[in-house]
Amino acid sequence: CLDRGLRLGTLRELCSGYCSFYGECGRNPEINVSLLWSPVPCLSNTPARLLKNATLNKLKEVCPQLYTGETTTYACCSYNQMVALQLSLAVSQAVLTRCPACSENFANIYCQNICSPNQSLFTNVTRFFNRTTILGTRQVGVLEYQCFYNQSFADQSYNSCKGVRIPATGGYAIAAMCGKYGATLCTSQRWLDFQGDSSNGLAPLDIDFQLVPTNGVIGEGIVPLNGKTWRCGEAVSADGEPCSCLDCAESCPQISTPTPQPPPFKVGSLDGVLFVCCLLFCLLTMLFGAFLVWRCIFRSKQASGKGQQRQRDQMRRSERLSQATHRVLGEMFQRWGTMVASHPVLVILISAVVVIGLSCGMVFIQLTTDPVELWSSPDSQARQEKDFYDQNFGPFFRTNQVILTAKSRPSYTYDSLLLGRKNFSGILSLAVLLDLLELQTWLQEIEIWSEEDGRNVTLKDICYAPLNPENASATDCCVNSLAQYFQNNRTRLEMTASQTQGGQTGMVDWKDHFLYCVNSPLSFKDITNLQLSCMADYGAPIFPFLAVGGYTGKGRPLGTALGPAGTVPASGSRKQALPLTHVALPVSNPRPPQRSLEDEINRTMAEDIPIFAISYLVIFLYIALALGEYSSCRRILVDSKVTLGLGGILVVLGAVFSSMGFYSYVGLPSSLIIIEVVPFLVLAVGADNIFIFVLEYQRSVQKPGERREQHIGRVLGTVAPSMLLCSFSEATCFFLGSLTRMPAVRTFALNAALAVLFDFLLQMSMFVALVSLDARRQEAARLDLCCCHRLSKAGCPSRSEGLLRPFMRRIYTPVLLNHAVRALVVSAGGRGKGRGPRCQDREGDSYMVQYFQYLNQYFMVGLPTYFVTTGGYNFSTGPGMNGVCSSAGCNNNSLTQKIHSCPRSYLAIPASSWVDDFIDWLHPLSRCCRISSSDSQFCPSTNSRSRPAQWGRGSQDFGEGSSGRARWGRGSQDMGEGSTGGVPGYGGGEHWEGWESQRSSPGQGAVVLPPISPASRFMAYHTPLTNSQEYTAALRAARTLATNITDSMRRVPGTDPNFRVFPYTVTYVFYEQYLTIVNEGLFNLALCLVPTFVVCCMLLGMDLRSGLINLLTIVMILVDTVGAMTLWDISYNAVSLINLVTAVGISVEFVSHLTRAFAVSTQPTRLERAKEATINMGSAVFAGVAMTNLPGIVVLAFAKAQLIQIFFFRLNLLITLLGLVHGLVFLPVLLSYFGA
C-alpha cells in the first residue's frame, strides 16, 4: 500500500481492499430541503468488510455485480446503507428499468461508489463535518468527495442511458437527470455532475466527478474506476434482453431507406404538364386547320344539285323529330300562357298561398354551424373514428389558448451563472411576465351564470384537472404557461438570491430558474439558491414546446412567444360558458379557444349578410331599370318596369324560401352557405328567364285581332321551351349532385335543385300573371309604382329594340363570325390547369389569422394525435403486451416501436404508452406496485405499512391477476414513486367495461378486469402543420402507419380478426375530404354534366350534335375556371366544389339558350343560324345572366370574410366572365362550324 499522508486530518491508506467511508452519519447539515431523506456516510479509512447473512443477501439484491462468492464478498457499505441505496435507486429505476443495460450501468455507478471493496483507489474525501450521536459517540460525516472515473467507463455508461424514453411524455429520461443542460446539451460529465450535486433535491452530499482519459495519470496512487459496462444493444445476462429500439438506436433493425419522392415531371427545363398541354393545343390547332382545308376541298368538289338535294332531304329527315318536339312544347306552353294571362289575379293568389305555406316551414329550420356536421359525412371513415373515440373516451378536450408576442420590445443578452450568456427576446421581461400572470389569473377567475346549475360557474367547474378530477380547485386545472414554472406565484417570480458558481458570485432570479426549467422540466427543485420547483401548481411538468414559442437552444433569442393554454372537456352544455375576452396588454394577444374557428366563420359570415343584401339590392335595381322599354321621356314612368322587376325578385325569393321551408318540414338541416349562395344562384337563373321572356315580349308585335292574353301566350310558347331546357337541366344536375357524401354539398345541391324547379314553376305562373297585369297597366298608360295615376293620353307604346340588340346585329355578330375571327377563336380554345388544395379558411380581419401565423412560426409541435385500438386485443398476456410496449423484450414491430421508427410520419414526439408505464409500475425495483402488510390489498406506494409485490424481475407475462393490478395502477393519483401510471398520466387512456361489478374474492386484492379492452389510446404529437397539403399528408401517413400496425397486432395469438388501430385527432374529419376531393369533385361534376347532355338532346328532339356541343362548351367553362383558380390563388376544396357545381348551372344559362335558338332557327346555313341565335338570344343572355350577376358579384369584393372574398367574389366573377366569353364568343363560332 502507498501512504498518501495526512489528508483532512486523517491518515489514508491507498490500497486494494480499503474504504474511504463506511456506515451512516445522519443527515447532511448543509441540506434543508430534500425530496428523499438519505444519510451521509462516515469517514472511515478501514479495510472492506466481509459480508454475511442478511447483509450479503441485500448486496446480491441491490448490487449483484459486486458479489464474488458466499465467503469472498467484501464491501465498504453496511446493511442500512444498502437499504438507503435501494430506496434511492428506486426513483430513477422506475424509469430506467425499461432499458436493462442502462439500469445496470446506472446502479453500478452508485454501487461502486458506496460499496466497492476498492473504494479508496478512486475516491478522495475533500470535506467533512463532526457530529456526536445521542449516545455520545463522536463521528466524522462526509460532505463531499472526489470520484475518479475512466473517461471511457463514464461515456459508455452515459451512452447506454441517453436514449431511454419516458413513456408518459415521449421525452428522454436523461433530460431529468442532467439538470440545467437537459437532453440536448447533456454529456457524460454533466450527467455525473448533476448526480453529485446536493442541490438537486436527491443527492445527500456533493460528489466531484473527475473523468480521466484512458492514458491519463492522476498521481498519488489514484486509480480511476474502469469497471464493466453494458452497451444498450446487448443483454445484461444470458437470459436477458437488450434495450428496445425506442430506447436504443443500436437495437433498431435495419430500415430500408424510404423511396424518394419522384422528381417533378419536366421536359427539359419546361414543366411537363405545361409541355403536354402546349403539344395537345398545337395538335388540335393542326387538326382544325386540316378540317378547314378538307371542307374547302369538299365543297369545291360537290358533284351536282342531285347530291345537294339528297343532302337536304337527309337533313330534313334528321330534323323532323326535333321540329315536332319544338312544335308540341310551343303549343303546350302557348295554351298555358294564354290561360294564366287571362286570370292573373287568381293565379297570383294561388301561387302566393302555396309559397307562403311552404315558406312557413322555415320556422322549423335547423341551422348547422358545426364544421364537423357541415363537411364530414356521418358514413366517412374519419367521422366513424371520431364517434368511436368520443363514445369510449369522451369528446376531444377543448384547448383555450392565448399566444402573446412583444414585437416592440428589443432582444437582450443575459449573463447567467448557470449557462453563461444567453439571448432573450423582448417578451421575456419581468414586466411582461407579470402582465401575463395577471391576465392568466383574471381568466381563471372569470365567472358566468349557469342556468343549468343555478349558480355562477368558474374555470374549476369545467376544466381538465388530471390530479383531482372529482373535486377540482382553481390550482388543479391544467393550465400550461411560463408562469407555471413559478406555480403562478408572483412572489416566486420576483424572487432573487445570491449564489456562487465556479468561483463567481452573482445574483440569480427568475431568468436562471426559467433556463433551468426549460432544459429540465421534470425537476422538483432547481440547482439555484432560489430552490424552486419546475412543476406546475396542478402537479405536472410544463414542457417548453407547449408554453414557450421560438426556443431552439441554438443561440436564437429565447422565447419569442408565450402560449398560456387551459384545457376543458368538450362534453356538457357549458362549452361556451367561459369565453376568452380580449384584454389590453403591451403585447400582441391572439386568443383562440379550440372552437374559435367555428365561431369566427359564423361571425364573419353573419357580418357579411348586409353585403349580400346590398348585392341583391344592386341586382334588383339593375333588373328594374333594364327591363323597361323607354320610347320617350314623357312615358318614362309608364314604360319603366320597377314593379315587374320587384315581382321577379319576389318570385325568386319565393322559390328559395319554398325550397328551404319544404326541407325544413322534412327535417333536412340548412346552413349559412345555403342562405347566402342559393338565392344568388336562383337569382342568376331566374333573372335570365325574366329577361328572355320580357325582351321577347317587347320585341314581338301583336298580330291583328290577337288579344293581349293570346299575345303573351304566343311569346311564352316561343321562349318557355328554352327556359324548360335550362331549368330542368339545372334541377336534374343538382339533384344528381346531391349523391355526394359531403353533407354541405349534398344539402346545397338539394336546396338548389328544388329552388330552381320552384323558380321555373313560379315564372310559368306568377310571373306570367305579373307580366299580364303590367302589360294592362302599360296599355292604360298608368304609372309604374303608382298605378292609380295615368297619363292624360293613353295608348300603346312604340316598339323599340333598345341599344343591345342593334349592337349585336350591326357590330358584334359580323365581327365575331367573320371567317378570320372564327378560325382564331376556335384555335384559341380553352385551357386550364388545376392545383391541389390549400387551406384558405381564415378570416381576413380576424384574430385567427394572426393566431395561425404565430402557431406556425413559434411552436415546435402541432396537435396531439392518438393511435386508438378497438376491441378484440388481449393486453393481459405476455404476447399481447409485447405487441404494444417498447421496453426491453418487446417486439421490434410493436405498436409504440413502429410509431417511433416510422419515417415520414409527421410525428414530433413518440407516442406515450400506458402499457410501458404499467410494466415499470409492476417492476419490483420501481417500488410502485405495493401490497399492504396487514391485508395483502394493493395500496399507494406512499403507504409506510406496505411491501413490494413479488414479481419476477423482467417478467412480462403477468397472468390472470394482472388486470386487477392494472386497474389500481390506472386509478392511482399518487404523484410520488407510483406516478408512472394512473390518472395523472393516463386518465381515460384505456376504456374497460364491467370492472365495477367484477370484484375478486376477499383477500385476493383489488378488481379483476376482463382481459379484453374495448378501446385504448396512445398519444403522440404531430409536427407543426402549416397548410392543408401538410395536414392531408399527415393524415395519409398516420393511416398508413396505423394499417401497418393493425396487420402486425392481428398476428398476435387471440386477437380478433376485426381488431384494428386507427389514428385520431380533431382535424382529421376536416382534412379527410382532401384525400378524395379530386375524385369526389370529378364524380359530382360528371353527375351534373350528364343530365345537361341528356336533357338537351331530349328537349331538342334527340339532337345529339347540339347536345354534344352544349356539353363541350360547359366542360370548357369548368376547365378554364379551374385553371383560372390557380392564377388567382383560389384553392380547390369543398367550398370551391360547391361553386363549381353552381358553375354548371350558370353555364347552362350561358350555353343552352343559345344552342336551342340555333337548333330551332330556319336559316339555310349554319353561319346564318349562328348569327340569328347570337343576335336574338345572345343579347338576352348578356342582359339577363352576365349583367345581372356582375353588379352583385362586384359588391361581394367589399365583404370582410376571406371566405366570401375568395370563394364567392373571385370564383363567381371567374365563372360569370368565362361563361360570358364561352357562351357569346366560343359557342356561336363552334355552332357555325359544327352545328346541326
Side-chain angles (χ1 to χ4, degrees):
C1 296
L2 300 175
D3 182 5
R4 191 186 299 177
L6 190 63
R7 292 277 181 187
L8 301 175
T10 63
L11 186 66
R12 286 289 310 274
E13 295 291 336
L14 184 64
C15 59
S16 178
Y18 267 71
C19 305
S20 294
F21 36 81
Y22 181 86
E24 295 182 345
C25 277
R27 297 192 62 175
N28 189 333
E30 297 180 352
I31 298 179
N32 298 320
V33 179
S34 179
L35 296 176
L36 293 177
W37 185 88
S38 186
V40 297
C42 299
L43 187 67
S44 178
N45 186 216
T46 57
R49 277 70 167 173
L50 177 65
L51 302 186
K52 299 178 181 179
N53 302 327
T55 306
L56 180 62
N57 292 333
K58 179 59 70 173
L59 179 77
K60 289 192 289 185
E61 180 183 350
V62 180
C63 300
Q65 59 269 37
L66 296 181
Y67 174 75
T68 59
E70 291 293 328
T71 59
T72 58
T73 300
Y74 290 81
C76 289
C77 58
S78 65
Y79 181 88
N80 290 337
Q81 280 184 284
M82 282 187 280
V83 171
L85 174 60
Q86 186 177 32
L87 292 173
S88 178
L89 288 176
V91 176
S92 57
Q93 287 187 325
V95 175
L96 299 181
T97 48
R98 56 183 287 105
C99 178
C102 169
S103 179
E104 291 295 329
N105 290 334
F106 186 79
N108 185 45
I109 289 175
Y110 285 94
C111 287
Q112 294 289 351
N113 287 359
I114 297 173
C115 294
S116 172
N118 302 316
Q119 192 182 68
S120 64
L121 290 177
F122 59 90
T123 61
N124 181 35
V125 176
T126 56
R127 287 196 309 122
F128 63 94
F129 69 98
N130 296 311
R131 70 185 292 261
T132 302
T133 68
I134 59 177
L135 300 178
T137 305
R138 296 192 62 185
Q139 292 179 325
V140 180
V142 178
L143 290 176
E144 182 178 1
Y145 67 90
Q146 291 178 316
C147 192
F148 297 88
Y149 283 177
N150 185 282
Q151 181 75 56
S152 175
F153 171 74
D155 289 344
Q156 290 172 11
S157 299
Y158 168 74
N159 289 336
S160 68
C161 292
K162 67 179 182 181
V164 177
R165 299 271 187 174
I166 300 177
T169 66
Y172 292 100
I174 206 73
M177 304 173 69
C178 210
K180 60 186 180 182
Y181 298 104
T184 304
L185 302 177
C186 195
T187 63
S188 57
Q189 180 70 66
R190 292 170 174 174
W191 178 54
L192 291 172
D193 287 345
F194 180 78
Q195 311 308 313
D197 188 348
S198 61
S199 65
N200 63 19
L202 297 172
L205 76 170
D206 291 321
I207 306 174
D208 181 13
F209 286 96
Q210 301 287 327
L211 304 188
V212 183
T214 302
N215 297 324
V217 178
I218 302 301
E220 298 182 341
I222 292 291
V223 181
L225 179 64
N226 190 16
K228 176 177 175 56
T229 58
W230 291 268
R231 301 191 326 273
C232 64
E234 66 176 316
V236 175
S237 60
D239 58 348
E241 296 283 351
C243 302
S244 67
C245 173
L246 185 66
D247 300 317
C248 176
E250 183 182 333
S251 299
C252 293
Q254 186 67 31
I255 299 177
S256 58
T257 304
T259 305
Q261 294 288 345
F265 173 47
K266 285 192 174 184
V267 179
S269 59
L270 290 176
D271 180 85
V273 177
L274 179 61
F275 176 80
V276 172
C277 290
C278 292
L279 191 64
L280 182 61
F281 168 69
C282 294
L283 178 62
L284 291 176
T285 303
M286 292 174 61
L287 290 175
F288 178 67
F291 165 75
L292 293 180
V293 173
W294 173 84
R295 193 177 67 163
C296 292
I297 297 175
F298 178 77
R299 284 182 176 179
S300 64
K301 292 184 177 181
Q302 282 183 335
S304 63
K306 182 178 178 180
Q308 297 173 6
Q309 181 66 37
R310 183 167 58 252
Q311 184 182 16
R312 286 194 297 268
D313 291 341
Q314 291 174 352
M315 290 176 60
R316 291 191 188 100
R317 286 194 298 268
S318 65
E319 293 175 349
R320 191 171 303 152
L321 181 59
S322 177
Q323 295 296 337
T325 303
H326 300 323
R327 184 175 60 256
V328 170
L329 290 175
E331 292 175 354
M332 180 183 67
F333 280 110
Q334 181 175 351
R335 288 194 295 269
W336 171 260
T338 302
M339 182 189 69
V340 171
S342 301
H343 308 88
V345 177
L346 179 61
V347 171
I348 291 174
L349 288 176
I350 295 175
S351 301
V353 170
V354 174
V355 168
I356 293 173
L358 289 173
S359 300
C360 286
M362 292 186 64
V363 299
F364 306 107
I365 192 170
Q366 303 173 24
L367 278 180
T368 301
T369 59
D370 185 357
V372 175
E373 299 292 337
L374 280 174
W375 307 114
S376 178
S377 170
D379 299 328
S380 67
Q381 179 181 343
R383 187 70 174 278
Q384 291 178 345
E385 291 170 350
K386 177 185 183 300
D387 293 341
F388 180 89
Y389 182 93
D390 293 347
Q391 179 183 355
N392 287 277
F393 305 107
F396 206 86
F397 290 118
R398 293 189 179 275
T399 300
N400 299 269
Q401 188 173 33
V402 181
I403 300 179
L404 295 94
T405 63
K407 296 181 179 179
S408 60
R409 290 179 174 267
S411 300
Y412 64 96
T413 301
Y414 176 65
D415 194 1
S416 170
L417 283 174
L418 299 175
L419 290 171
R421 297 176 65 86
K422 289 294 179 182
N423 296 323
F424 276 65
S425 73
I427 199 170
L428 291 179
S429 66
L430 184 60
V432 173
L433 295 184
L434 291 175
D435 282 338
L436 167 64
L437 183 57
E438 181 182 353
L439 168 65
Q440 184 175 311
T441 303
W442 179 82
L443 291 175
Q444 288 180 274
E445 293 176 351
I446 290 177
E447 294 185 0
I448 193 169
W449 177 259
S450 170
E451 295 291 343
E452 178 183 349
D453 297 325
R455 63 180 178 88
N456 285 335
V457 296
T458 61
L459 182 64
K460 68 182 180 65
D461 296 306
I462 64 170
C463 73
Y464 171 56
L467 295 184
N468 191 11
E470 301 299 329
N471 187 26
S473 65
T475 57
D476 290 326
C477 293
C478 178
V479 178
N480 296 323
S481 75
L482 187 148
Q484 285 283 25
Y485 288 137
F486 305 89
Q487 296 76 50
N488 295 332
N489 187 295
R490 184 187 182 101
T491 302
R492 294 176 183 175
L493 184 60
E494 295 175 330
M495 283 178 61
T496 60
S498 176
Q499 182 166 339
T500 300
Q501 181 83 8
Q504 181 182 358
T505 301
M507 299 297 294
V508 293
D509 59 11
W510 67 269
K511 294 185 284 293
D512 300 274
H513 179 67
F514 166 72
L515 288 172
Y516 182 87
C517 293
V518 164
N519 289 305
S520 186
L522 296 174
S523 298
F524 285 90
K525 178 185 175 185
D526 67 12
I527 60 174
T528 72
N529 285 351
L530 299 174
Q531 296 187 349
L532 297 176
S533 171
C534 295
M535 306 297 281
D537 60 358
Y538 65 91
I542 302 297
F543 296 102
F545 59 79
L546 294 178
V548 184
Y551 172 68
T552 62
K554 299 180 180 180
R556 292 181 58 190
L558 281 172
T560 50
L562 305 178
T567 306
V568 299
S571 59
S573 60
R574 299 175 183 156
K575 64 180 180 179
Q576 297 180 351
L578 299 177
L580 289 176
T581 307
H582 183 74
V583 179
L585 286 177
V587 294
S588 179
N589 177 29
R591 69 245 178 246
Q594 189 169 300
R595 58 171 286 116
S596 286
L597 187 57
E598 174 186 347
D599 293 340
E600 279 299 283
I601 291 177
N602 293 336
R603 178 187 66 83
T604 52
M605 291 284 283
E607 285 183 355
D608 286 328
I609 288 179
I611 298 294
F612 276 90
I614 294 174
S615 174
Y616 294 142
L617 180 61
V618 170
I619 294 173
F620 161 67
L621 291 176
Y622 166 75
I623 294 175
L625 296 175
L627 284 179
E629 51 175 346
Y630 307 104
S631 57
S632 66
C633 294
R634 184 172 180 274
R635 290 183 55 89
I636 191 170
L637 294 179
V638 175
D639 296 337
S640 68
K641 303 289 185 182
V642 175
T643 305
L644 186 61
L646 177 60
I649 297 291
L650 292 177
V651 165
V652 171
L653 294 179
V656 173
F657 292 154
S658 298
S659 172
M660 295 176 64
F662 173 80
Y663 285 120
S664 297
Y665 278 128
V666 299
L668 184 70
S670 186
S671 67
L672 286 176
I673 292 180
I674 294 173
I675 294 175
E676 294 174 340
V677 179
V678 171
F680 204 83
L681 168 67
V682 180
L683 190 59
V685 174
D688 186 27
N689 291 342
I690 289 172
F691 271 90
I692 290 174
F693 181 34
V694 174
L695 293 182
E696 181 65 25
Y697 177 73
Q698 291 173 350
R699 286 197 299 264
S700 176
V701 178
Q702 190 170 350
K703 295 180 180 180
E706 186 179 44
R707 294 184 296 112
R708 180 182 59 254
E709 291 78 6
Q710 293 173 333
H711 183 202
I712 293 175
R714 178 168 54 85
V715 172
L716 185 65
T718 303
V719 299
S722 179
M723 298 162 65
L724 173 65
L725 168 63
C726 292
S727 299
F728 192 65
S729 298
E730 292 158 359
T732 308
C733 154
F734 289 130
F735 274 126
L736 290 178
S738 65
L739 296 177
T740 180
R741 295 184 303 168
M742 220 171 283
V745 179
R746 181 175 62 252
T747 306
F748 166 79
L750 287 172
N751 278 271
L754 196 58
V756 168
L757 277 183
F758 282 156
D759 181 58
F760 174 75
L761 295 176
L762 290 175
Q763 285 178 338
M764 292 297 102
S765 54
M766 181 180 285
F767 187 73
V768 172
L770 291 174
V771 170
S772 177
L773 292 177
D774 187 75
R776 185 185 304 175
R777 175 200 61 79
Q778 191 174 8
E779 289 179 5
R782 296 186 179 274
L783 302 183
D784 194 15
L785 294 177
C786 188
C787 58
C788 297
H789 297 278
R790 56 182 300 175
L791 295 181
S792 57
K793 294 183 178 180
C796 295
S798 59
R799 297 294 178 180
S800 172
E801 288 186 321
L803 299 176
L804 187 57
R805 193 165 184 271
F807 169 79
M808 300 288 285
R809 184 178 63 251
R810 298 169 187 170
I811 300 176
Y812 179 77
T813 302
V815 172
L816 175 66
L817 297 181
N818 178 273
H819 290 292
V821 175
R822 285 197 298 157
L824 182 63
V825 167
V826 174
S827 299
R831 300 177 299 280
K833 176 186 173 184
R835 180 170 64 181
R838 292 187 302 103
C839 183
Q840 285 186 319
D841 51 2
R842 303 168 187 172
E843 308 308 319
D845 69 329
S846 172
Y847 65 83
M848 290 297 295
V849 174
Q850 197 175 26
Y851 165 72
F852 281 118
Q853 291 172 349
Y854 288 169
L855 192 65
N856 297 332
Q857 179 179 355
Y858 296 122
F859 289 90
M860 60 179 293
V861 298
L863 292 167
T865 184
Y866 291 93
F867 286 85
V868 182
T869 65
T870 62
Y873 189 82
N874 194 337
F875 286 92
S876 67
T877 65
M881 286 207 172
N882 287 337
V884 176
C885 64
S886 58
S887 304
C890 300
N891 299 337
N892 277 335
N893 64 343
S894 68
L895 180 147
T896 49
Q897 299 272 35
K898 284 190 173 184
I899 293 174
H900 165 68
S901 59
C902 179
R904 296 179 185 168
S905 62
Y906 290 88
L907 297 177
I909 297 176
S912 59
S913 170
W914 67 267
V915 175
D916 286 274
D917 270 340
F918 177 47
I919 293 172
D920 296 339
W921 181 76
L922 286 176
H923 202 287
L925 288 181
S926 72
R927 299 188 72 253
C928 292
C929 186
R930 307 289 293 180
I931 294 178
S932 175
S933 301
S934 59
D935 58 8
S936 297
Q937 294 289 325
F938 290 95
C939 60
S941 61
T942 53
N943 190 330
S944 59
R945 298 181 179 180
S946 64
R947 55 185 173 85
Q950 299 299 315
W951 314 115
R953 179 171 176 140
S955 172
Q956 293 181 18
D957 189 356
F958 306 111
E960 295 300 325
S962 65
S963 57
R965 295 188 289 276
R967 168 61 193 159
W968 196 92
R970 294 191 337 275
S972 172
Q973 297 180 17
D974 176 25
M975 283 299 289
E977 296 172 15
S979 61
T980 57
V983 169
Y986 301 103
E990 324 86 64
H991 175 60
W992 303 82
E993 293 179 351
W995 67 268
E996 293 180 348
S997 60
Q998 298 184 21
R999 300 187 179 275
S1000 59
S1001 58
Q1004 294 182 356
V1007 180
V1008 177
L1009 295 180
I1012 304 297
S1013 168
S1016 186
R1017 61 180 179 178
F1018 303 83
M1019 187 183 77
Y1021 278 93
H1022 271 306
T1023 56
L1025 306 174
T1026 58
N1027 53 50
S1028 57
Q1029 284 95 335
E1030 292 185 0
Y1031 277 101
T1032 307
L1035 170 58
R1036 185 181 292 109
R1039 283 188 173 176
T1040 301
L1041 174 59
T1043 300
N1044 188 282
I1045 294 172
T1046 300
D1047 293 339
S1048 298
M1049 296 181 71
R1050 282 179 177 175
R1051 289 194 286 269
V1052 174
T1055 302
D1056 192 303
N1058 296 321
F1059 165 82
R1060 72 184 187 98
V1061 179
F1062 64 85
Y1064 172 72
T1065 193
V1066 289
T1067 60
Y1068 287 168
V1069 290
F1070 305 119
Y1071 289 98
E1072 185 187 39
Q1073 60 174 293
Y1074 291 119
L1075 297 177
T1076 59
I1077 195 168
V1078 174
N1079 295 332
E1080 188 85 9
L1082 292 175
F1083 173 75
N1084 282 317
L1085 294 177
L1087 284 179
C1088 293
L1089 290 171
V1090 169
T1092 64
F1093 170 72
V1094 174
V1095 173
C1096 183
C1097 291
M1098 292 179 61
L1099 295 183
L1100 292 180
M1102 302 308 296
D1103 188 346
L1104 295 179
R1105 186 179 299 188
S1106 296
L1108 287 173
I1109 291 176
N1110 197 71
L1111 178 64
L1112 175 63
T1113 309
I1114 295 174
V1115 170
M1116 291 182 68
I1117 294 175
L1118 290 176
V1119 171
D1120 284 358
T1121 300
V1122 174
M1125 286 168 60
T1126 301
L1127 301 178
W1128 210 353
D1129 202 24
I1130 304 173
S1131 65
Y1132 174 57
N1133 55 26
V1135 180
S1136 53
L1137 177 58
I1138 289 178
N1139 281 273
L1140 289 176
V1141 173
T1142 304
V1144 176
I1146 295 179
S1147 300
V1148 168
E1149 292 294 321
F1150 278 112
V1151 174
S1152 297
H1153 289 300
L1154 202 67
T1155 302
R1156 183 184 180 278
F1158 175 87
V1160 300
S1161 175
T1162 58
Q1163 296 296 323
T1165 65
R1166 294 190 184 96
L1167 183 59
E1168 294 299 322
R1169 295 164 69 189
K1171 287 181 178 180
E1172 182 182 58
T1174 305
I1175 294 170
N1176 293 334
M1177 192 58 69
S1179 57
V1181 169
F1182 180 82
V1185 183
M1187 293 310 297
T1188 301
N1189 285 2
L1190 287 175
I1193 291 173
V1194 170
V1195 174
L1196 296 181
F1198 300 97
K1200 293 181 180 180
Q1202 194 174 1
L1203 183 73
I1204 303 300
Q1205 293 176 359
I1206 293 176
F1207 296 108
F1208 294 100
F1209 165 64
R1210 293 186 190 179
L1211 194 49
N1212 279 287
L1213 184 62
L1214 285 176
I1215 293 170
T1216 301
L1217 293 178
L1218 290 172
L1220 181 64
V1221 170
H1222 285 78
L1224 296 186
V1225 177
F1226 181 75
L1227 180 59
V1229 173
L1230 193 64
L1231 289 171
S1232 70
Y1233 279 120
F1234 303 105

